[in-house]
Amino acid sequence: MSGRIFFTPEEGWVGDIIPFEEDGTFNLFFLHERRESPREGMSWRLVTTQDLLQYHDRGDALVHGSPQSLDFNAYTGSVVVDDDGVHHIFYTGQNPTNRGDDGLPLQLVMHAVSYDGMLHWVKLPEDAFGAPEAYESADWRDPFVFRDEQCKVWRMLLAARVRTGPSRRRGLTAQCVSKDLRHWEYAEPFWAPERFITHECPDVFQWGQWWYLVYSEFSDAFATRYRMSKDRLGPWMTPDSDTVDGRGFYAAKTAERDGRRFFFGWIPTRRGGSDDGAYEWAGSMSILESRQRQDGTLAFSIPREILGCFEYEGKELLPSAGLLLGRQDGFASRMLCDDIPATCRLTVNFTVHAERADAGLLIHASADGDSSHILRLEPKRGRMVIDRWPRLQTGDEQWQISGDVPYLLELERPCDLSTGQHELNIVMEDDIFVACLDDEVTVSCRMEHSWGNALGVFSNDGLTSFDAFVVHALAPASPAQENVALIAKAQDGLDAGKGVGEGVEVES
């Protein structure tokens, strides 16, 4: 059993997650990345949770095949249950030695069933099938199956590529249909935007009058995105902000419970445990909750179950009057403490004034705050970004510090920072950092390097009021559910009066 907030197996890492909710339990299958060299095959592992806090590791669920099998690597797919109560896994089978006419390893849709409530799985290799002639045979993966009640068929969506056209824009969401989950027919593409190399891990769900198509892409950015439609087959509309998170949260797929929709993704590790190291495939599990706005667009936040595992009261770092910080023509900062717990929650209430100054937090900072990770809020640009100073250094001279980029690329989140009051909720565990602004927008990452353990705030070219800054340590196990209830009650009140206030200037 693992009680970590961001689940990571004792051995290896969490790859793509395949969530399936049943009877109040989230069954979280995931690709178990062990980073072996040479690789010994990829299996599906399973953890279960009912409260998003305690994870029960059930071990390997769908075991990869032998070096001669079509599914030496068992990659991403989906789980459904039919009318007879039989569970079905559809997954991607790949073997590096099984190659197509282009010389690349084939990707095949494969099928397994369970007659005992997902305790054991029986593979049906005779059901395997690959891409049709018009598609590249090496990109035919991540089958997502859902029931189309209107047409009384099962639909399977796949991450695929056509053989012709500009190489970086051949990606599409392919489609097959079936009446019995055994025999599949190729159908017209489900969505073909001619924009991405491939859009992986498709996921479709209905919420009220809206349908949502979720996918992950690595063309414009490594990001999970979504589209909306009033019909299950499209056409698909692009919301103003179509990303779930930034570069630090990938391959998210969804599950619903009690009217709440959760996105299960992973926060990647970085090579060598360095902020400058390349992102690596797989990492630690992270869960975000979506909220449907009146216009159908989605907001994203940290689930209240996770916030509730921290002490409700916490330690206030500011005086009762708050802190008015800044100057009209420069930078001002204030260090608040020098000992951030490795696992904690930060709650920050702040007010954006008329000059709309940039402001934010200095994290894992040196004592004077000059070197730190930075969460920066930029009202004039309408964004929240993760940054650090110093950035990448290629030498000892000032001009050899990467100061010619506006922030750490791919860790930018568009957001509303209108004049008035706002709230940040931040959860940190070791090197993992997840921030949520106004229960609307999240940004996730790893903060590998530490210049110290100080924590501070800043305001640049104008005044910002920091009204409260509370550090919450982990709560004892027993009161955690009480904290969840308190936070849920507070959240209900926040949702009832959602909106940005006029802002009240406080004195330091």
Side-chain angles (χ1 to χ4, degrees):
M1 180 188 300
S2 170
R4 290 176 60 90
I5 297 168
F6 302 96
F7 173 80
T8 311
E10 291 186 8
E11 296 182 1
W13 303 95
V14 174
D16 297 352
I17 301 158
I18 302 95
F20 179 73
E21 190 276 338
E22 190 171 67
D23 299 329
T25 296
F26 289 110
N27 298 274
L28 305 176
F29 300 90
F30 65 92
L31 304 192
H32 187 201
E33 172 63 277
R34 297 188 297 272
R35 295 182 184 161
E36 307 152 325
S37 184
R39 173 169 284 176
E40 297 180 2
M42 178 75 73
S43 294
W44 283 26
R45 200 170 180 90
L46 172 64
V47 294
T48 59
T49 182
Q50 292 181 320
D51 60 6
L52 306 183
L53 298 175
Q54 295 295 320
Y55 293 91
H56 301 266
D57 193 334
R58 308 299 186 183
D60 289 343
L62 183 70
V63 180
H64 68 81
S66 71
Q68 292 74 43
S69 300
L70 296 176
D71 63 348
F72 175 69
N73 291 308
Y75 289 143
T76 306
S78 58
V79 180
V80 296
V81 60
D82 65 24
D83 293 337
D84 297 322
V86 177
H87 292 84
H88 299 253
I89 279 179
F90 294 92
Y91 66 104
T92 307
Q94 189 252 31
N95 189 319
T97 65
N98 183 32
R99 298 177 179 270
D101 56 13
D102 58 3
L104 299 174
L106 291 170
Q107 291 185 345
L108 305 171
V109 172
M110 304 197 73
H111 187 197
V113 295
S114 175
Y115 301 99
D116 59 4
M118 301 189 290
L119 294 177
H120 303 91
W121 293 94
V122 178
K123 295 180 180 179
L124 303 175
E126 64 273 20
D127 288 357
F129 65 95
E133 182 62 30
Y135 293 78
E136 295 183 0
S137 60
D139 283 284
W140 185 250
R141 63 179 178 275
D142 307 343
F144 176 81
V145 175
F146 71 102
R147 181 70 175 170
D148 183 341
E149 294 295 348
Q150 184 171 329
C151 294
K152 304 301 181 185
V153 298
W154 294 92
R155 296 189 182 274
M156 176 186 290
L157 309 185
L158 296 119
R161 280 169 55 85
V162 292
R163 289 181 179 266
T164 59
S167 178
R168 297 182 64 83
R169 295 195 286 112
R170 294 182 192 172
L172 77 164
T173 302
Q175 180 180 199
C176 298
V177 296
S178 174
K179 293 182 178 180
D180 61 3
L181 293 174
R182 293 293 303 272
H183 304 90
W184 293 90
E185 298 179 0
Y186 301 116
E188 291 296 313
F190 191 78
W191 185 51
E194 299 183 19
R195 175 180 171 185
F196 304 112
I197 297 172
T198 311
H199 19 110
E200 307 180 294
C201 301
D203 188 318
V204 166
F205 61 89
Q206 185 179 15
W207 195 346
Q209 63 179 329
W210 288 97
W211 286 82
Y212 298 88
L213 169 63
V214 180
Y215 62 96
S216 294
E217 57 89 7
F218 48 86
S219 302
D220 296 354
F222 275 77
T224 299
R225 300 179 183 269
Y226 76 95
R227 295 292 186 265
M228 319 162 44
S229 176
K230 291 293 184 70
D231 188 276
R232 73 210 184 286
L233 302 180
W236 298 99
M237 300 164 44
T238 305
D240 288 345
S241 177
D242 68 338
T243 51
V244 175
D245 201 297
R247 176 64 175 88
F249 179 83
Y250 193 67
K253 295 170 74 68
T254 79
E256 180 268 340
R257 187 176 70 181
D258 298 331
R260 300 168 65 194
R261 177 66 58 169
F262 298 92
F263 281 64
F264 298 84
W266 46 267
I267 296 177
T269 55
R270 306 198 73 156
R271 187 170 300 163
S274 167
D275 289 314
D276 298 322
Y279 286 103
E280 297 175 302
W281 189 85
S284 301
M285 186 182 301
S286 184
I287 306 169
L288 300 177
E289 182 174 359
S290 59
R291 188 186 77 255
Q292 189 181 52
R293 303 185 183 99
Q294 288 187 350
D295 63 359
T297 61
L298 299 180
F300 296 94
S301 61
I302 301 169
R304 61 176 178 253
E305 288 84 352
I306 294 175
L307 297 180
C309 72
F310 296 92
E311 293 177 346
Y312 185 68
E313 295 295 336
K315 178 182 179 181
E316 174 62 70
L317 301 183
L318 296 179
S320 59
L323 173 65
L324 181 63
L325 185 65
R327 48 187 286 194
Q328 296 298 330
D329 61 347
F331 178 87
S333 64
R334 180 76 60 87
M335 304 312 293
L336 302 178
C337 76
D338 59 4
D339 189 19
I340 311 172
T343 301
C344 64
R345 171 189 168 201
L346 309 178
T347 305
V348 185
N349 296 96
F350 65 97
T351 300
V352 175
H353 294 297
E355 57 263 62
R356 299 161 63 208
D358 289 354
L361 277 60
L362 306 173
I363 305 143
H364 294 313
S366 58
D368 60 2
D370 195 44
S371 298
S372 70
H373 290 283
I374 302 165
L375 176 67
R376 189 167 64 245
L377 306 156
E378 303 180 346
K380 294 176 183 176
R381 298 176 179 87
R383 69 187 184 188
M384 171 172 59
V385 303
I386 299 291
D387 204 347
R388 74 176 190 270
W389 189 260
R391 299 192 185 118
L392 176 66
Q393 292 183 251
T394 57
D396 296 330
E397 302 297 333
Q398 177 63 34
W399 57 270
Q400 292 171 320
I401 298 176
S402 181
D404 57 346
V405 294
Y407 52 88
L408 293 182
L409 300 181
E410 299 178 318
L411 291 177
E412 172 192 23
R413 303 292 296 129
C415 59
D416 179 8
L417 286 164
S418 303
T419 302
Q421 296 176 322
H422 299 270
E423 181 182 52
L424 277 169
N425 268 298
I426 297 167
V427 172
M428 301 170 63
E429 183 177 49
D430 299 328
D431 60 346
I432 295 176
F433 177 94
V434 178
C436 177
L437 175 68
D438 293 331
D439 286 317
E440 290 276 331
V441 180
T442 62
V443 60
S444 306
C445 70
R446 289 184 189 266
M447 295 182 172
E448 301 285 3
H449 185 83
S450 177
W451 293 268
N453 211 24
L455 179 67
V457 292
F458 70 90
S459 184
N460 190 39
D461 290 340
L463 300 175
T464 301
S465 293
F466 291 93
D467 308 313
F469 197 128
V470 183
V471 178
H472 309 262
L474 273 174
S478 54
Q481 292 302 320
E482 297 178 14
N483 290 343
V484 170
L486 287 169
I487 288 174
K489 183 177 180 180
Q491 181 62 53
D492 290 342
L494 178 64
D495 290 341
K498 204 70 172 179
V500 177
E502 290 300 315
V504 179
E505 187 168 304
V506 299
E507 296 180 357
S508 59

